[in-house]
Amino acid sequence: MFSFTIFARKAKKMTKSTLLTPAKDPMGAAIADYFKHGKAARLRVFSSQFEEDEIPVSQLFRNLDMMPAIEQKALQLAKGRILDCGAGSGCHSLALQEMGKEDVMAIDISPLSVEVMQQRGVKQVVQADFFDERFVGKFDTILMLMNGSGIIGKLQRMDLFFQRAKQLLNVGGCILMDSSDLRYLFEDEDGSFLVDLAGDYYGEIDYQMQYKNIRGDEFDWLYVDFSTLSYYATRNGFKAECLYEGSHYDYLASLSLV
Ligand code: SAH
């Protein structure tokens, strides 16, 4: 009986539509407030694995100069027809347009973010889930930034992610993705590494956000170390390269179709 209940819950989670509605779109509401009023209340982040935290909403509106080197590098390398996947306020799409890389399409599951992106002047914006096969198109670069691997959710979805990317990439195309190795959170002072090898992968985090009284549903967010990412890339016909390492276990990877 007990295991059946779990199965039923899982099945429901897999089949429900992943596009958000405004009533369950806390980050979008924060983005919309900041866009309209130049300020926002606290965007709170909860996780069963960490203490409560918050995302500074102003940082979601960063321009090219304010972006970390990893992101600047990704924007320099992006070429051809570009998909900005999980685009948020549209900061990367706008920076690309300003750099003269005008063929950019921004997608996001957040209806409120999509509206803001349209108003800010992102030329091609669609409310879409990357994993939804009804979203079609061909791109030379798929950009996934601000822990872009997060959208994959769980390690077990890695193959699905690469198969989906294959459908969306032109020959010779590549994914530019940033992520972090969370092992520093589990490392002891002497450098020993305290994870349960039989347990879930240590980069799998559950999150939930709240903005004012808008509380979103819980979602899975994946942080992945470069060697694990390479393993999945290779077995799906992609070549993984670490292009740049940041100062805090973060890195920029290119994943190109071979
Ligand atoms: N890239 C932006 C926003 C990062 S936050 C920046 O760097 O500022 C992650 C964004 O991904 C959120 O706006 C969220 O709504 C969006 N997102 C999450 N899952 C998605 C999916 N499956 N498909 C498309 N967008 C997704």
Side-chain angles (χ1 to χ4, degrees):
M1 187 60 192
F2 179 63
S3 57
F4 173 74
T5 314
I6 290 177
F7 175 74
R9 275 211 201 115
K10 271 199 179 146
K12 195 172 160 212
K13 204 170 174 187
M14 277 161 66
T15 50
K16 78 175 178 200
S17 160
T18 46
L19 293 183
L20 304 180
T21 59
K24 292 253 171 123
D25 185 9
M27 188 189 254
I31 284 176
D33 255 6
Y34 192 89
F35 176 62
K36 270 186 227 134
H37 310 294
K39 59 182 175 53
R42 291 191 316 134
L43 178 56
R44 302 166 67 190
V45 182
F46 307 92
S47 168
S48 69
Q49 293 133 298
F50 300 112
E51 306 266 289
E52 182 180 336
D53 203 351
E54 58 184 87
I55 297 179
V57 182
S58 64
Q59 282 183 21
L60 298 172
F61 284 79
R62 60 202 180 281
N63 61 29
L64 186 63
D65 295 336
M66 293 152 70
M67 286 174 193
I70 279 186
E71 294 183 1
Q72 293 188 0
K73 179 102 189 156
L75 296 184
Q76 279 160 20
L77 292 170
K79 60 177 181 3
R81 181 153 171 72
I82 303 166
L83 178 66
D84 182 1
C85 179
S89 80
C91 57
H92 299 113
S93 292
L94 288 170
L96 286 166
Q97 287 180 185
E98 278 166 28
M99 291 161 79
K101 302 185 185 188
E102 304 245 345
D103 197 4
V104 188
M105 174 175 281
I107 61 167
D108 205 291
I109 55 172
S110 151
L112 299 172
S113 299
V114 162
E115 229 175 88
V116 168
M117 285 196 269
Q118 284 161 342
Q119 290 169 12
R120 292 184 81 199
V122 179
K123 289 178 189 148
Q124 304 173 53
V125 188
V126 180
Q127 189 195 6
D129 175 356
F130 175 83
F131 287 98
D132 187 340
E133 294 196 347
R134 285 170 300 181
F135 173 69
V136 288
K138 285 287 182 190
F139 301 89
D140 301 297
T141 307
I142 299 178
L143 208 58
M144 303 178 76
L145 295 178
M146 197 173 145
N147 192 55
S149 64
I151 285 173
I152 304 166
K154 290 252 183 205
L155 209 53
Q156 67 174 46
R157 282 164 64 87
M158 203 60 116
D159 293 327
L160 181 68
F161 164 72
F162 280 111
Q163 292 314 310
R164 207 34 211 140
K166 248 183 215 174
Q167 295 173 341
L168 294 169
L169 279 173
N170 279 325
V171 176
C174 98
I175 307 164
L176 296 171
M177 175 196 282
D178 67 347
S179 194
S180 298
D181 184 351
L182 289 195
R183 68 179 291 146
Y184 68 92
L185 294 174
F186 305 96
E187 238 164 27
D188 230 354
E189 274 162 26
D190 65 1
S192 60
F193 188 38
L194 302 168
V195 291
D196 175 5
L197 291 176
D200 292 337
Y201 173 63
Y202 62 86
E204 294 180 339
I205 306 296
D206 62 79
Y207 282 131
Q208 193 166 26
M209 292 198 216
Q210 182 168 343
Y211 182 73
K212 295 180 173 168
N213 57 359
I214 303 171
R215 197 165 174 115
D217 287 332
E218 207 179 279
F219 59 95
D220 299 320
W221 197 246
L222 179 70
Y223 295 82
V224 64
D225 66 281
F226 180 70
S227 70
T228 302
L229 179 64
S230 303
Y231 166 77
Y232 284 96
T234 309
R235 78 175 201 184
N236 282 285
F238 282 77
K239 184 175 156 229
E241 259 180 289
C242 183
L243 299 177
Y244 193 88
E245 280 186 66
S247 53
H248 201 63
Y249 301 86
D250 50 335
Y251 65 90
L252 175 68
S254 86
L255 304 154
S256 35
L257 264 175
V258 286

